[in-house]
Amino acid sequence: MSDFAVIGTSPKRIDGIEKVTGRARYAADVHLPGLLFGKIKRSTVAHANIASIDTSKALALPGVKAVLTHENVPRVLHAGQPHPRSSSVWKDQYIFDRRVRFMGEGVAVVAAVSEEIAEEALDLIEVEYDPLPAVFDVEEAMQPDAPQIHGAECNLVLPPHIVDWGDVEKGFEEADFIVEGVYSTGRPSPSYMEPNACVCKYELDGRLTIWSSTQCAFMVRGILSEVLDIPIHHVRVIVEHMGGGFGAKQDLFQHEFLCALLAKETGRPVKMEYTRKESFLGGRTRHPTKIWLRQGVKNDGTITARQARYITDTGAYGSHGPGVTRVGAQSLTSLYRCPNVYAEGICVYTNTPISGAFRGYGVVQSYFALDTQMDEIAEKLGLDPAEYKMQQAVGDGDLTPSEHTIHGNPLASCIRRAIEESNWHEMRRQTKNQSGRKLRGWGIGTEMHGSSAYPGIKEQSNAIVKMNEDGSVHLLTGTAGLGTGAHTALSQIAAEELGVRFEDVTVTHGDTDVVPFDIGAYASRTTFIGGGAVKRAAADLKKQLLELAADKLEAAAEDLVVRQGQVFVRGAPDQAIAVGDVVKGDEGGITPRSLVASATYETTKAYSYAAHVVEVEVDTETGQVEVKQVIAVHEIGKAINPIGVEGQIEGGIQQGIGHSLTEDLVIDPETGRALNASFVDYKMPLSMDMPTIKPIILEEAPDGDGPFGAKGVGEDPIIAIGPAIGNAVYDALGVRIRELPITPDKVLRALRQQASTDDTSNSDSGEE
């Protein structure tokens, strides 16, 4: 028999039929009697004090039921997340403030009987601003004379986060040469399919029910309780389905607070749904980052020292800036061996839209810099970059960024397999001495990423598993489903551990009144930690089941095995009884006793690894870069659902291609206005833009804490693809671009600079 009956298979997703038929209900699909519609008026300046707001004309408009401003909402400082998430975020926001800090920040909200009337009312609200000096660039914001965004002595959210391993000065003294560079990344938007939305209703007993598109239902409950001064048991959060989140829907946004306040003010249910433009402006983006990186290297390739300055632009509010900056700086201690590391993480306010949590959480930026510079070092050494990275990859006995010990050599295995599958050496040979308008190039990028946010956050998930009278199983989980198929994987874990069929497991999720507590879906933690809780609860339930079965089979419970819905005596498969018959009464009546188990799972961290090999084609006349193929090797311990894993890999690569080549929310450096806050101007790769992708799953380093050895895969694919593309562009052109996204104008500018340098060099040498 195979080791597993359900794990490692790819059954149909449990939410598939609902979604493909359109019956799945999202937050904006909730319609209630007497429903009102809320709309937010947004600032037209980037930095100002509000001198006055006149809402009288809006309130006089027929159909308008309420208008709220900073003058009549609670003034409670918050971070968008309650404890225990408080270690990753910074408390510097109010629902509405007397001061606006970025163009597009909400200043008033209206509830009306229709969206059209609410929109009309927004135009009738008169706001007078006292403009303040604004700053839109992190380097300018760090200057002593820069405008102060939060009234402190400087625009740093917190003092710099310092990572200090070994002796960096000594390491540089031991180096034969030093390589350094500045690398930067843009401000991509998560651009999830489902815009931010919620519906709020106060029940007759005073309890608040909110339907929300959130990754963290229990965190929404906690922060609403904290800021609106509602007992936590008086808040019920429901998340039936989500159309993506990518980390950005971890925060509570303005509209959720305002929707609840409008429902209380009017005594009627209220719906608020962002337009696509509002999701750009009022949502969260990835942190634009500038990284100065310097490494000392011996002539044999050994890295002796690594020094970095990692500067993030958190926008107008801290949000996840402290967490992203800490994780990004700490990640520079790993990936490639280096005994001496000093990294300074600096999180800076600017008068721009808020940066927040986003798939990859600071590591996308740091590994773009580190992996790109490793290619540069390999070139100076005259070594193949893939071979050099495999030689220097962290492995057995080395420490992860969270200071856990690595066992085995999973990163080197990923690189080795990527070299083999791509025919790397031959393909690279073919790109040498090219000519013509379109040039091909090959590049490799690597990454490692943790499952869970430990030690920054104390991780915990809970699960309840119960057996019905017919032997079927009901799983209750607080984990969120972002569209990733998470609940299908959790059902597989429950079925495998219990020994029942996958189709005999049903799942309830997304209702804080019903399911057990869970912090949320983030940090590639759902399968690893949520699945750990499910496995532990299922193991407890199986123990209870076998105690019942022991009497009926006249055998000791420890001698029994459950598989595919049958309980049999070990070594005697014909001596068996169906699970359904075990839980029935002696005459098919009432179950002898209720079979229910619950479990809490607290753990530390596991790391997954990946190497991506990319082929690109660059048009030297237009500057256009096209990704032709990607070979993506991922080591994840154990694939619970292989098709689901492949889907995550392919989706992350698509998102990463966008971030690497086209996606960037562009801010006007003079006014702070977002110039492309729509899908007309914000360009993402679509299905017809996608290259051939070959996902390869390795299961070489299963984690003992993960369910059946599984680790996370949600964030990993978006991390390795960026440096792979950048390195491939260099292989094609011989020109290094250290800034994402690599847009056509940057390619053409780099080619012109190269040509100018070549002309100057030829002139200096006397050539004509």
Side-chain angles (χ1 to χ4, degrees):
M1 287 191 297
S2 169
D3 289 341
F4 299 113
V6 184
I7 297 301
T9 68
S10 300
K12 293 179 181 177
R13 283 178 49 158
I14 60 176
D15 57 358
I17 292 177
E18 279 186 289
K19 288 185 173 179
V20 299
T21 59
R23 293 202 297 266
R25 191 166 78 152
Y26 297 80
D29 294 327
V30 175
H31 294 283
L32 302 171
L35 188 67
L36 300 176
F37 298 87
K39 288 290 180 181
I40 297 174
K41 185 174 182 67
R42 299 186 176 275
S43 68
T44 55
V45 294
H47 197 196
N49 288 318
I50 297 174
S52 65
I53 298 183
D54 185 349
T55 63
S56 58
K57 293 179 182 178
L59 283 166
L61 183 68
V64 172
K65 300 301 179 183
V67 180
L68 301 176
T69 70
H70 70 272
E71 296 172 344
N72 53 0
V73 300
R75 186 168 175 79
V76 178
L77 202 63
H78 70 89
Q81 291 274 328
H83 185 75
R85 295 304 307 278
S86 51
S87 62
S88 296
V89 292
W90 188 244
K91 188 178 287 190
D92 58 6
Q93 301 177 53
Y94 294 100
I95 298 172
F96 281 141
D97 196 7
R98 299 176 182 86
R99 188 171 178 178
V100 297
R101 294 176 172 85
F102 70 97
M103 189 177 292
E105 183 171 3
V107 297
V109 67
V110 170
V113 296
S114 72
E115 290 185 83
E116 292 77 14
I117 293 174
E119 292 280 6
E120 185 179 350
L122 294 184
D123 293 334
L124 298 176
I125 298 173
E126 298 174 356
V127 185
E128 184 179 341
Y129 296 102
D130 285 336
L132 296 168
V135 61
F136 309 116
D137 177 80
V138 289
E139 293 180 351
E140 293 177 12
M142 293 169 66
Q143 298 303 312
D145 59 348
Q148 298 305 301
I149 297 171
H150 283 272
E153 294 181 359
C154 67
N155 285 315
L156 302 191
V157 178
L158 287 169
H161 177 80
I162 304 299
V163 180
D164 193 357
W165 285 18
D167 187 334
V168 169
E169 290 186 8
K170 181 181 177 184
F172 280 118
E173 290 173 0
E174 295 172 349
D176 293 314
F177 65 92
I178 293 172
V179 175
E180 68 178 89
V182 177
Y183 308 82
S184 60
T185 60
R187 191 191 305 267
S189 163
S191 302
Y192 27 71
M193 288 190 295
E194 178 197 18
N196 304 80
C198 66
V199 175
C200 287
K201 176 188 177 184
Y202 273 87
E203 309 295 343
L204 294 176
D205 60 1
R207 298 182 77 238
L208 169 65
T209 300
I210 174 170
W211 291 261
S212 180
S213 178
T214 177
Q215 297 172 225
C216 304
F218 285 91
M219 297 298 98
V220 169
R221 184 181 70 169
I223 199 67
L224 285 174
S225 170
E226 178 184 316
V227 176
L228 302 184
D229 194 23
I230 308 171
I232 203 163
H233 65 284
H234 279 196
V235 183
R236 180 187 184 190
V237 183
I238 299 174
V239 187
E240 296 182 46
H241 291 280
M242 281 185 66
F246 306 113
K249 289 182 182 176
Q250 292 181 54
D251 280 7
L252 200 74
F253 296 81
Q254 266 187 319
H255 70 293
E256 287 139 320
F257 292 116
L258 296 172
C259 194
L261 289 170
L262 289 172
K264 186 175 183 179
E265 178 79 8
T266 62
R268 291 169 63 170
V270 178
K271 176 187 292 187
M272 296 188 71
E273 182 179 9
Y274 279 7
T275 63
R276 182 55 63 181
K277 183 176 182 179
E278 286 182 298
S279 285
F280 276 107
L281 298 181
R284 301 291 183 266
T285 68
R286 188 179 300 287
H287 287 75
T289 302
K290 292 185 178 180
I291 302 171
W292 170 75
L293 179 62
R294 179 173 181 249
Q295 294 189 88
V297 188
K298 285 184 174 293
N299 289 330
D300 65 359
T302 302
I303 303 166
T304 61
R306 183 177 299 148
Q307 186 177 4
R309 201 170 192 227
Y310 182 99
I311 305 172
T312 62
D313 180 350
T314 195
Y317 294 95
S319 182
H320 282 261
V324 166
T325 305
R326 182 184 69 245
V327 171
Q330 288 175 333
S331 64
L332 290 167
T333 62
S334 197
L335 198 63
Y336 300 106
R337 291 188 181 94
C338 181
N340 307 298
V341 181
Y342 184 89
E344 184 181 16
I346 304 171
C347 185
V348 185
Y349 288 120
T350 61
N351 293 115
T352 59
I354 307 170
S355 306
F358 197 169
R359 190 180 198 172
Y361 207 82
V363 184
V364 168
Q365 298 95 316
S366 57
Y367 284 171
F368 170 69
L370 179 56
D371 209 56
T372 300
Q373 193 168 97
M374 291 297 289
D375 260 53
E376 297 176 56
I377 293 171
E379 184 177 35
K380 284 185 177 294
L381 291 167
L383 300 175
D384 177 88
E387 297 286 350
Y388 178 59
K389 290 176 181 180
M390 185 164 58
Q391 175 195 94
Q392 299 300 321
V394 293
D396 200 41
D398 293 322
L399 295 181
T400 67
S402 58
E403 301 191 28
H404 290 82
T405 302
I406 298 171
H407 300 288
N409 295 287
L411 180 55
S413 293
C414 289
I415 299 171
R416 184 179 299 106
R417 183 68 177 273
I419 291 172
E420 295 169 356
E421 293 287 340
S422 62
N423 194 15
W424 168 263
H425 296 294
E426 174 60 22
M427 293 297 99
R428 291 258 300 180
R429 187 189 63 77
Q430 292 180 14
T431 63
K432 303 306 176 187
N433 303 315
Q434 297 178 84
S435 61
R437 171 178 169 177
K438 294 186 177 182
L439 304 177
R440 297 269 179 136
W442 288 79
I444 185 168
T446 68
E447 65 85 40
M448 56 187 290
H449 195 63
S451 304
S452 92
Y454 181 89
I457 296 172
K458 182 181 179 181
E459 288 285 6
Q460 184 196 95
S461 281
N462 301 274
I464 299 172
V465 183
K466 62 180 183 177
M467 187 161 280
N468 300 314
E469 301 90 316
D470 61 353
S472 60
V473 176
H474 195 169
L475 166 63
L476 292 89
T477 175
T479 59
L482 286 70
T484 59
H487 296 128
T488 300
L490 296 184
S491 297
Q492 289 181 258
I493 291 168
E496 186 68 55
E497 181 63 28
L498 277 166
V500 300
R501 301 179 305 165
F502 169 78
E503 53 268 32
D504 289 336
V505 179
T506 57
V507 181
T508 294
H509 62 90
D511 186 337
T512 58
D513 269 10
V514 176
V515 300
F517 177 86
D518 189 90
I519 296 179
Y522 60 88
S524 305
R525 70 182 295 279
T526 299
T527 298
F528 182 63
I529 297 180
V534 171
K535 187 175 186 293
R536 184 170 290 179
D540 189 347
L541 185 66
K542 181 168 66 175
K543 181 180 178 182
Q544 298 176 41
L545 174 69
L546 295 181
E547 288 172 356
L548 280 180
D551 291 338
K552 296 196 174 187
L553 289 172
E554 298 180 347
E558 57 268 24
D559 292 332
L560 301 182
V561 177
V562 193
R563 190 177 179 88
Q564 289 291 75
Q566 296 285 319
V567 183
F568 57 89
V569 179
R570 197 183 309 274
D574 51 341
Q575 191 178 345
I577 184 173
V579 169
D581 291 332
V582 173
V583 296
K584 287 179 182 176
D586 291 338
E587 297 180 4
I590 297 174
T591 303
R593 62 186 174 95
S594 178
L595 297 184
V596 181
S598 63
T600 296
Y601 194 73
E602 296 178 336
T603 188
T604 56
K605 198 162 196 158
Y607 279 81
S608 300
Y609 303 82
H612 289 184
V613 167
V614 168
E615 181 190 16
V616 302
E617 182 178 79
V618 186
D619 189 322
T620 58
E621 291 188 11
T622 66
Q624 192 74 34
V625 178
E626 181 183 356
V627 179
K628 306 299 289 186
Q629 62 173 310
V630 181
I631 294 88
V633 183
H634 283 256
E635 196 291 312
I636 62 166
K638 179 64 182 177
I640 301 295
N641 184 307
I643 287 181
V645 172
E646 290 180 6
Q648 287 284 61
I649 293 171
E650 292 173 1
I653 286 171
Q654 179 166 9
Q655 202 169 38
I657 289 172
H659 292 191
S660 301
L661 297 179
T662 60
E663 295 187 47
D664 192 12
L665 186 63
V666 180
I667 304 300
D668 186 328
E670 300 297 325
T671 65
R673 182 171 69 91
L675 299 178
N676 58 336
S678 74
F679 282 160
V680 173
D681 299 309
Y682 183 90
K683 301 300 183 183
M684 297 189 301
L686 305 178
S687 58
M688 66 284 291
D689 302 311
M690 289 303 293
T692 300
I693 299 175
K694 184 177 182 180
I696 298 166
I697 301 170
L698 300 185
E699 299 177 330
E700 295 190 2
D703 190 271
D705 288 332
F708 303 102
K711 299 179 288 190
V713 70
E715 293 169 277
D716 296 74
I718 202 172
I719 303 171
I721 189 69
I725 290 173
N727 292 330
V729 169
Y730 178 77
D731 184 53
L733 301 178
V735 176
R736 180 70 66 183
I737 299 174
R738 299 179 178 89
E739 180 182 356
L740 296 182
I742 302 172
T743 51
D745 60 305
K746 294 173 186 173
V747 172
L748 294 177
R749 189 182 309 122
L751 288 171
R752 285 196 298 269
Q753 290 173 348
Q754 181 192 48
S756 176
T757 301
D758 290 345
D759 289 344
T760 302
S761 177
N762 290 338
S763 175
D764 290 344
S765 64
E767 294 181 17
E768 296 183 359

